[in-house]
């Protein structure tokens, strides 16, 4: 008889932080696809948060919050070494997409659970979008095969494979038929999981300042307050002093655990429970614990902007979206800007305002696209944090993708900074039309109808002028009297044929972020 890939309870006792690599696996899918049943079948160690305490959740057997649990396997490549798979059970209900996005940002790979009797549903598609943004490896779990015929299973395999072929995962995705409630196909799933593992390289994140994403917080009478979460970067040890930015409070760590086992250090990717004293659990639901200075309260942010291909709604400057980073979501207004690909967007540079994403499609070969997000409430995040923009107020009955865009934070600014002359300057390209009144000499034209007589011409000295006849360029040299007429210098020379020619002035109008 073939040996199980699960390890015995006795062998689990030998597992420790030194001989084990932790892999965070997101479990996502449409509501009632059987995610939680799959997690229960796989899990050998259940964390404090894995069994949702919400009465509705218990009554219906669905997940209304993030759940965490773990199981272990031997590392087939190293004797005496193990894998700990931390399962992040994300809720499937449409109204809880914020929770799903927050939970998915801590995963290394993903199970997309699909009810084989129903196929791809609305939230299945949204979970696939999240997977494309956040996961490098995807395994599709075709659940409830005990309720489907072989013909139905094969049909769904073809449909799902066709959908996946159009994503970044292409044809590299394994589709594994299982029945979670009857534990059919679970060993096959584990085998494919082990075959698809890529060991996360966490060394670069270890050398950074601590960033610990909290997803649950609760009180233990007589001991203190426990915060559970995942370390994104840096490390934490008992007696370390850490910062709660949402409370503006420094606290010392009393002790650490990983799935009920005491540990002396938590590192990137680890699922950690940290115990604190004199901390009110009611003040913390989700958020961040960090080294001071790692995160900031960000009023406005600039991101490298990437559109979600499945999003069919409007994507225009001035539109408002729900902006999520980690477990935090705030409202924000979008401004789209572009900059030539050979020029990096920086704090003291400038970008051209774009009205509509559709305008970018014909420019994308030469320009990069950025999003300027003016936030209604400050967002607690660090530079380079992932940001996801969604339309969460969309009708839940509408069969559409609500996730619109994503990107990483490049830099932030305050409302006061935007008025500084050397700060990010956003402009619109504008044009004014006029006519050549006469040719003054071999290099000078007199132009009329560009300006009103009260216009301050000094603001336009040096602006580009295009003489439409011959498509010749010139620059405004000076005002001519007080009538609004101007002299234009033409370096390539003038000719009498230019008389009465139409001209156009092209200039930049700079905008403030109000």
């Amino acid at each position: 008889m073939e040996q199980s890939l699960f390890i015995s309870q006795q062998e689990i006792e030998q597992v420790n932080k030194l001989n084990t690599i932790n892999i965070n696996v997101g479990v996502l899918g449409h509501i009632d696809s059987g995610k939680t049943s799959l997690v229960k079948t796989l899990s050998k160690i259940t964390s404090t948060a894995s069994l949702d305490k919400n009465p509705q959740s218990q009554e219906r057997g669905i997940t209304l919050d993030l759940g965490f649990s773990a199981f272990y396997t031997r590392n087939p490549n190293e004797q005496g070494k193990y894998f700990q798979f931390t399962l992040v059970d994300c809720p499937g209900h449409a109204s809880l997409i914020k929770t799903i996005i927050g939970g998915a940002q801590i995963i290394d790979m993903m199970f997309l659970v699909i009810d084989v009797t129903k196929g791809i549903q609305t939230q299945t598609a949204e979970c696939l979008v999240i997977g494309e943004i956040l996961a490098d490896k995807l395994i599709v779990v075709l659940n409830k095969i005990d309720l489907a015929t072989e013909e139905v299973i094969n049909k769904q395999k073809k449909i799902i494979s066709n959908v996946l072929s159009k994503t970044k995962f292409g044809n590299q995705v394994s589709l594994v038929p299982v029945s979670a409630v009857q534990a059919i196909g679970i060993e096959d799933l584990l085998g494919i999981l082990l075959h698809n593992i890529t060991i996360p390289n966490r060394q670069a994140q270890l050398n950074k300042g601590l960033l610990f994403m909290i997803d649950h917080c609760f009180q233990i009478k007589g001991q203190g307050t426990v915060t559970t979460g995942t370390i994104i970067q840096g490390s934490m040890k008992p007696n370390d002093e850490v910062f709660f930015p949402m409370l503006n409070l420094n606290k010392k760590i009393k002790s650490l655990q990983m799935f009920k086992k005491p540990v002396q250090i938590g590192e990137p990717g680890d699922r950690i429970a940290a115990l604190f004293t004199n901390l009110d659990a009611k003040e913390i639901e989700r958020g961040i614990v960090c080294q001071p200075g790692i995160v900031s309260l960000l009023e406005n942010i600039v991101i490298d902007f990437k559109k979600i291909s499945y999003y069919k709604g409007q994507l225009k400057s001035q539109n408002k979206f729900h902006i999520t980073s980690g477990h935090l979501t705030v409202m924000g207004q979008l401004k789209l800007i572009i900059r030539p690909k050979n020029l990096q967007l920086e704090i003291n540079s400038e970008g051209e305002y774009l009205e509509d994403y559709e305008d970018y499609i014909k420019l994308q070969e030469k320009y990069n696209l950025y999003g300027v997000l003016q936030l209604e409430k400050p967002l607690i995040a660090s530079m380079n944090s992932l940001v996801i923009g969604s339309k969460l107020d969309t009708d839940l009955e509408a069969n559409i993708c609500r996730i619109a865009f994503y990107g990483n934070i490049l830099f932030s600014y305050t409302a006061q900074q935007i008025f500084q002359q050397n700060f990010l300057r956003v402009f619109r390209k504008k044009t004014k039309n006029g006519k050549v009144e006469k040719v003054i000499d071999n290099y000078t034209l007199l132009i009329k109808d560009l300006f009103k007589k009260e216009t301050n011409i000094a603001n336009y000295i040096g602006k580009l002028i295009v003489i439409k006849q011959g498509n010749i360029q010139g620059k405004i040299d000076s005002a001519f009297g007080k009538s609004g007429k101007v002299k234009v210098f033409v370096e390539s020379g003038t000719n009498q044929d230019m008389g009465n020619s139409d001209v156009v002035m092209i200039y930049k109008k700079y905008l403030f972020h109000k």
Side-chain angles (χ1 to χ4, degrees):
M1 184 177 176
E2 192 173 329
Q3 188 179 17
S4 172
L5 294 173
F6 284 114
I7 63 177
S8 66
Q9 189 63 41
Q10 184 178 0
E11 196 170 357
I12 286 176
E13 298 304 319
Q14 301 173 24
V15 172
N16 59 61
K17 185 165 172 50
L18 296 177
N19 63 15
T20 306
I21 296 173
N22 181 61
I23 308 289
N24 295 311
V25 182
V27 184
L28 287 79
H30 193 91
I31 187 170
D32 294 331
S33 59
K35 300 183 308 303
T36 303
S37 296
L38 177 66
V39 167
K40 286 179 179 177
T41 300
L42 288 170
S43 299
K44 297 296 180 183
I45 300 294
T46 303
S47 78
T48 53
S50 68
L51 299 178
D52 197 317
K53 299 181 178 115
N54 187 295
Q56 184 185 351
S57 176
Q58 293 179 344
E59 182 181 339
R60 290 190 57 198
I62 61 172
T63 301
L64 294 179
D65 205 345
L66 295 174
F68 295 87
S69 52
F71 67 91
Y72 300 93
T73 70
R74 297 179 191 88
N75 184 337
N77 301 315
E78 291 189 66
Q79 190 172 359
K81 301 288 186 179
Y82 301 92
F83 286 121
Q84 172 182 278
F85 291 99
T86 298
L87 300 174
V88 186
D89 183 11
C90 296
H93 196 279
S95 64
L96 300 170
I97 189 71
K98 284 190 293 186
T99 306
I100 300 171
I101 292 172
Q105 290 189 55
I106 61 177
I107 66 175
D108 299 309
M109 58 191 304
M110 175 174 151
F111 284 159
L112 179 62
V113 184
I114 298 177
D115 181 343
V116 75
T117 67
K118 297 177 180 176
I120 293 177
Q121 299 168 271
T122 305
Q123 272 63 65
T124 314
E126 288 191 329
C127 291
L128 182 55
V129 167
I130 293 169
E132 281 200 88
I133 298 172
L134 297 165
D136 293 323
K137 291 287 184 73
L138 173 72
I139 296 173
V140 173
V141 181
L142 293 175
N143 195 22
K144 304 186 182 182
I145 59 170
D146 53 312
L147 303 179
T149 63
E150 194 71 28
E151 183 182 356
V152 168
I153 295 169
N154 290 332
K155 180 181 178 182
Q156 288 297 342
K157 279 185 177 181
K158 289 180 182 178
I159 293 171
I160 294 165
S161 296
N162 183 54
V163 171
L164 292 171
S165 69
K166 299 169 186 174
T167 70
K168 78 169 188 180
F169 302 111
N171 298 313
Q172 304 303 310
V173 181
S174 298
L175 279 67
V176 189
V178 307
S179 170
V181 294
Q182 295 191 17
I184 298 171
I186 298 301
E187 292 284 347
D188 292 339
L189 177 60
L190 287 185
I192 289 170
L193 176 62
L194 288 170
H195 179 74
N196 279 276
I197 284 179
T198 299
I199 306 299
N201 182 4
R202 309 199 199 272
Q203 190 59 44
Q205 300 304 315
L206 179 60
N207 299 325
K208 297 179 180 179
L210 174 67
L211 184 61
F212 175 57
M213 282 180 59
I214 302 171
D215 45 61
H216 293 87
C217 185
F218 56 92
Q219 208 91 26
I220 297 181
K221 192 173 182 179
Q223 294 191 46
T225 296
V226 176
T227 61
T228 63
T230 303
I231 299 177
I232 304 301
Q233 64 182 49
S235 62
M236 57 198 302
K237 301 175 184 176
N239 297 316
D240 280 356
E241 191 170 87
V242 294
F243 181 57
F244 288 78
M246 54 280 200
L247 302 178
N248 195 27
L249 184 68
N250 288 301
K251 297 296 292 184
K252 187 175 285 189
I253 301 171
K254 186 177 179 182
S255 64
L256 296 176
Q257 286 190 2
M258 283 183 65
F259 289 103
K260 303 177 183 178
K261 288 187 177 183
V263 293
Q264 293 305 307
I265 186 171
E267 296 175 319
D270 285 350
R271 174 83 189 151
I272 288 288
L275 179 65
F276 297 89
T277 56
N278 300 316
L279 182 66
D280 188 354
K282 294 178 182 177
E283 293 184 357
I284 307 166
E285 174 58 27
R286 292 195 170 92
I288 291 170
V289 167
C290 64
Q291 178 181 310
I294 292 297
V295 300
S296 304
L297 282 172
L298 308 180
E299 296 180 24
N300 305 282
I301 56 177
V302 179
I303 66 170
D304 56 333
F305 189 94
K306 301 177 183 70
K307 180 185 179 293
I308 299 297
S309 60
Y310 299 101
Y311 180 73
K312 304 304 179 186
Q314 286 189 343
L315 203 51
K316 295 183 177 182
S317 288
Q318 311 304 327
N319 286 168
K320 288 188 175 184
F321 293 89
H322 293 84
I323 308 301
T324 301
S325 182
H327 294 302
L328 304 176
T329 298
V330 299
M331 291 299 296
Q333 187 179 58
L334 172 68
K335 283 185 175 68
L336 297 169
I337 60 174
I338 57 173
R339 187 163 168 81
K341 287 199 170 181
N342 62 332
L343 299 174
Q344 187 173 353
L345 186 71
E346 298 172 331
I347 289 175
N348 60 351
S349 59
E350 66 177 30
E352 183 180 347
Y353 181 90
L354 207 61
E355 196 73 49
D356 194 323
Y357 179 84
E358 294 299 315
D359 300 330
Y360 175 67
I361 294 172
K362 57 181 177 291
L363 303 171
Q364 57 188 335
E365 289 187 9
K366 295 182 179 180
Y367 290 87
N368 288 323
L369 182 63
Y370 302 90
V372 178
L373 296 168
Q374 296 172 255
L375 307 176
E376 293 185 1
K377 293 180 181 178
L379 190 67
I380 300 173
S382 59
M383 291 306 104
N384 204 42
S385 292
L386 178 70
V387 167
I388 296 177
S390 311
K391 279 284 189 182
L392 302 182
D393 49 1
T394 303
D395 182 1
L396 295 181
E397 300 301 319
N399 187 26
I400 56 175
C401 177
R402 295 168 293 166
I403 304 171
F405 61 86
Y406 68 100
N408 292 89
I409 301 175
L410 302 177
F411 54 89
S412 66
Y413 65 91
T414 64
Q416 289 73 32
Q417 282 178 309
I418 202 60
F419 291 95
Q420 297 174 6
Q421 191 173 4
N422 65 342
F423 202 74
L424 176 67
R425 301 178 300 282
V426 179
F427 66 87
R428 290 177 188 257
K429 277 186 180 175
K430 292 284 191 177
T431 60
K432 285 180 176 286
N433 296 302
K435 278 188 175 295
V436 176
E437 184 169 274
K438 70 175 182 179
V439 179
I440 295 177
D441 57 37
N442 290 340
Y443 294 97
T444 310
L445 299 173
L446 181 62
I447 307 296
K448 63 179 182 180
D449 299 338
L450 269 180
F451 304 105
K452 297 176 181 179
K453 62 181 181 179
E454 62 269 21
T455 302
N456 184 358
I457 304 299
N459 293 332
Y460 295 91
I461 301 301
K463 298 298 183 187
L464 179 68
I465 296 289
V466 177
I467 299 97
K468 290 187 177 179
Q469 184 174 333
N471 197 31
I472 297 170
Q473 294 185 357
K475 290 184 177 179
I476 295 177
D477 183 62
S478 63
F480 183 81
K482 297 182 179 180
S483 62
K485 297 177 183 179
V486 292
K487 289 182 179 180
V488 170
F489 174 75
V490 182
E491 187 176 4
S492 61
T494 64
N495 59 68
Q496 292 302 317
D497 292 338
M498 291 180 179
N500 206 37
S501 175
D502 291 327
V503 300
V504 60
M505 178 181 73
I506 303 170
Y507 67 101
K508 297 175 181 178
K509 182 178 180 181
Y510 289 90
L511 311 175
F512 290 125
H513 298 294
K514 288 184 176 179

